[in-house]
Amino acid sequence: MLQSKVLKVYPYKYWSTMATCLAGGFQTTLVGIILSRDKNTWKLGWDLNLVTILYSGVLATAGRYCMTLWVVSKRGPTYPPMFNPLSVVFTILLDSIFIGDEITVGSLVGTAMAIVGLYIFIWGKSKEVNEK
């Protein structure tokens, strides 16, 4: 919702995305320094920790912001929040594939409800667009 307001004032959507990510990174770094002053916790090597940080920064943060801004500019601010339940669906699936967690009845019911809710929203939104 806030991104649609930023786009009206500052039309350079990718620069505003970068500024948002940098501000969040600085805030997170400041809180991290305050909470963990041990220098050994801040050391990075060529291991899974570095891959996780790069993945989180590039794909999970910057990529998501760019995709969200693109969707907001094309369809409006109501679309991106509707896809948040899909992250739970992907988490359940990837947990079962890579970690070996069991898929329970509750997770299946929740996944089905998220998919049905998303489908109903998109169906209703398409009918609304067709009426206009």
Side-chain angles (χ1 to χ4, degrees):
M1 297 289 214
L2 185 63
Q3 289 174 339
S4 63
K5 293 178 182 178
V6 170
L7 278 176
K8 291 177 185 175
V9 176
Y10 190 74
Y12 304 107
K13 58 185 173 184
Y14 298 114
W15 283 103
S16 66
T17 299
M18 185 185 73
T20 303
C21 291
L22 283 175
F26 288 136
Q27 289 173 353
T28 304
T29 302
L30 181 65
V31 170
I33 289 171
I34 291 170
L35 294 177
S36 179
R37 295 180 186 240
D38 184 23
K39 290 182 182 179
N40 291 328
T41 59
W42 290 93
K43 290 182 181 178
L44 286 176
W46 291 99
D47 57 358
L48 188 59
N49 289 334
L50 182 62
V51 172
T52 303
I53 291 169
L54 291 175
Y55 168 79
S56 297
V58 173
L59 291 177
T61 304
R64 182 170 182 240
Y65 270 104
C66 290
M67 288 177 61
T68 301
L69 281 173
W70 178 75
V71 170
V72 166
S73 68
K74 295 290 183 189
R75 292 290 190 163
T78 56
Y79 264 87
M82 286 306 302
F83 290 94
N84 286 341
L86 285 181
S87 64
V88 176
V89 173
F90 287 122
T91 301
I92 291 169
L93 289 174
L94 293 175
D95 272 354
S96 68
I97 292 170
F98 292 116
I99 299 176
D101 286 349
E102 294 181 11
I103 297 178
T104 62
V105 174
S107 63
L108 287 176
V109 170
T111 300
M113 289 175 60
I115 291 172
V116 168
L118 180 64
Y119 177 77
I120 289 171
F121 170 77
I122 292 174
W123 175 74
K125 200 67 170 165
S126 69
K127 288 189 71 87
E128 180 181 307
V129 169
N130 287 340
E131 289 177 4
K132 289 182 181 180

